[in-house]
Amino acid sequence: MAYETIEVRPIAGALGAEISGADLSAPLGNQVFAEIHQAFLDHQVIFFRDQTLTPDQQKAFTRRFGPFGETPFVTTLDDHPEIIEVVKQPGDRTAYNFGGNWHSDFSFQPQPPMATLLYSREVPPYGGDTLFANMYLAYETLTPGMKRIADDLIGVHSARRSYSPAAQYQHDQLSGMEVKTDDSAYATVEHPVVRTHPETGRKALFVNRVYTVGLKDFSKTEGAALLDLLCRHAERPELTCRFNWTEGALALWDNRCVQHFAVNDYDGYRRVMHRTTVAGERPV
Ligand code: OGA
Ligand code: MN
């Protein structure tokens, strides 16, 4: 599509585009918003730089896309129950970081968030990039045989690896965030391994290393082996892009067709992000 009010510059072959010409702190006109929404569908993850956003302004932009998603386990900002402050402190020298493995946000929910907005308030001098993977391409580039297998699979998703009480010690290593694990993390939901995007009609692979814990009607061993094949395929570098944050940047990604990974390579530096989500529908 031809954009008239914004500029859209792809950052990689697989997905991701930087948008310029929009000030997200002000109410957006319908045409600008329509073009941003189109760029989001066309590129799966879009990035804006040099934005100055208060929590209220980030929430107002988020609400243009729909109602907020639900935020379990992770303590939100006192005055803003819709915002998670993702923080790593200089003293947090730990192998664990928030979002530090391939995942689609909260895919353990019956209706996972359709989109996530992450706004950088403080960034390390180097590192702390976020990787994104195009799950449409992950599906489309499967071999015909694997496609046929994947088409019939049902994934079992659960928060247990991240948010069951056994994982509490990991969260406690991050001094700037509060996470309260509990037994509700053992609940499971089933989502198709290949889902159809409700807005584009394209098929996307919908499995991830963090929350997809098995496959319906397969043994633990079988499920783990098949999931590993699918995940390894989806994580190939040519299916990804990498965003290097600067202060005041905002990433907006589509959890229905993107998974992401926060790189933990900036020990000794602070990184602070504000995260909001937009509610989604049950994957089909
Ligand atoms: C998240 C997440 C990635 C990052 O907030 O859901 O995965 O780079 N964050 O902080
Ligand atoms: Mn995430």
Side-chain angles (χ1 to χ4, degrees), residues 210-270:
V210 176
Y211 302 127
T212 318
V213 298
L215 292 174
K216 188 183 178 190
D217 297 336
F218 288 84
S219 73
K220 204 174 158 188
T221 318
E222 292 166 343
L226 280 168
L227 283 169
D228 187 55
L229 277 178
L230 294 171
C231 288
R232 270 197 282 150
H233 172 76
E235 294 157 7
R236 288 161 52 166
E238 66 270 29
L239 303 183
T240 72
C241 72
R242 179 173 188 130
F243 186 64
N244 180 239
W245 293 92
T246 44
E247 195 183 303
L250 184 128
L252 163 59
W253 63 84
D254 188 336
N255 287 305
R256 302 166 293 188
C257 57
V258 169
Q259 56 171 350
H260 58 283
F261 183 123
V263 182
N264 189 12
D265 61 349
Y266 54 97
D267 268 6
Y269 295 104
R270 179 179 289 107

Side-chain angles (χ1 to χ4, degrees), residues 86 98-99 103 105 118 130 260 262 271 275:
V86 177
F98 191 79
H103 66 286
D105 284 330
L118 192 65
T130 308
H260 58 283
R271 180 178 184 270
R275 174 194 193 272

Side-chain angles (χ1 to χ4, degrees), residues 53-113:
L53 295 179
T54 64
D56 282 325
Q57 289 165 335
Q58 180 174 346
K59 287 199 293 188
F61 180 55
T62 304
R63 280 291 282 112
R64 288 298 295 265
F65 292 87
F68 296 111
E70 298 274 317
T71 305
F73 306 115
V74 186
T75 303
T76 51
L77 286 181
D78 282 345
D79 299 333
H80 302 280
E82 309 84 359
I83 299 182
I84 292 179
E85 192 164 66
V86 177
V87 188
K88 189 180 168 200
Q89 298 281 25
D92 295 346
R93 293 165 187 271
T94 157
Y96 170 75
N97 68 324
F98 191 79
N101 198 355
W102 285 107
H103 66 286
S104 177
D105 284 330
F106 295 168
S107 73
F108 56 84
Q109 293 179 323
Q111 302 184 27

Side-chain angles (χ1 to χ4, degrees), residues 4-283:
E4 286 171 13
T5 61
I6 55 172
E7 272 179 55
V8 179
R9 190 178 60 82
I11 67 160
L15 79 166
E18 270 197 48
I19 311 290
S20 50
D23 173 5
L24 306 181
S25 70
L28 296 173
N30 288 339
Q31 162 125 17
V32 183
F33 179 74
E35 292 191 5
I36 289 173
H37 186 246
Q38 191 59 48
F40 164 74
L41 294 179
D42 289 347
H43 298 279
Q44 296 82 50
V45 53
I46 54 177
F47 308 101
F48 303 83
R49 293 204 190 263
D50 303 321
Q51 302 289 324
T52 310
L53 295 179
T54 64
D56 282 325
Q57 289 165 335
Q58 180 174 346
K59 287 199 293 188
F61 180 55
T62 304
R63 280 291 282 112
R64 288 298 295 265
F65 292 87
F68 296 111
E70 298 274 317
T71 305
F73 306 115
V74 186
T75 303
T76 51
L77 286 181
D78 282 345
D79 299 333
H80 302 280
E82 309 84 359
I83 299 182
I84 292 179
E85 192 164 66
V86 177
V87 188
K88 189 180 168 200
Q89 298 281 25
D92 295 346
R93 293 165 187 271
T94 157
Y96 170 75
N97 68 324
F98 191 79
N101 198 355
W102 285 107
H103 66 286
S104 177
D105 284 330
F106 295 168
S107 73
F108 56 84
Q109 293 179 323
Q111 302 184 27
M114 73 102 153
T116 303
L117 296 88
L118 192 65
Y119 174 63
S120 52
R121 300 186 66 93
E122 207 173 324
V123 297
Y126 56 79
D129 292 358
T130 308
L131 313 182
F132 298 89
N134 181 337
M135 301 302 276
Y136 292 135
L137 274 185
Y139 176 71
E140 290 161 8
T141 56
L142 289 173
T143 55
M146 275 306 282
K147 241 184 221 166
R148 277 198 302 275
I149 293 172
D151 280 333
D152 284 337
L153 298 176
I154 309 282
V156 179
H157 294 242
S158 156
R160 69 184 183 221
R161 290 179 185 150
S162 305
Y163 297 115
S164 69
Q168 185 65 46
Y169 80 98
Q170 290 190 322
H171 303 290
D172 293 345
Q173 293 175 299
L174 296 180
S175 58
M177 291 181 77
E178 187 183 36
V179 172
K180 292 182 180 141
T181 60
D182 68 65
D183 284 342
S184 70
Y186 289 107
T188 57
V189 300
E190 294 176 358
H191 295 311
V193 162
V194 180
R195 68 182 292 184
T196 303
H197 194 291
E199 295 183 84
T200 64
R202 293 175 72 185
K203 286 181 175 185
L205 204 54
F206 193 62
V207 292
N208 65 79
R209 293 218 182 256
V210 176
Y211 302 127
T212 318
V213 298
L215 292 174
K216 188 183 178 190
D217 297 336
F218 288 84
S219 73
K220 204 174 158 188
T221 318
E222 292 166 343
L226 280 168
L227 283 169
D228 187 55
L229 277 178
L230 294 171
C231 288
R232 270 197 282 150
H233 172 76
E235 294 157 7
R236 288 161 52 166
E238 66 270 29
L239 303 183
T240 72
C241 72
R242 179 173 188 130
F243 186 64
N244 180 239
W245 293 92
T246 44
E247 195 183 303
L250 184 128
L252 163 59
W253 63 84
D254 188 336
N255 287 305
R256 302 166 293 188
C257 57
V258 169
Q259 56 171 350
H260 58 283
F261 183 123
V263 182
N264 189 12
D265 61 349
Y266 54 97
D267 268 6
Y269 295 104
R270 179 179 289 107
R271 180 178 184 270
V272 181
M273 319 290 274
H274 278 187
R275 174 194 193 272
T276 48
T277 58
V278 183
E281 296 160 20
R282 184 146 202 142

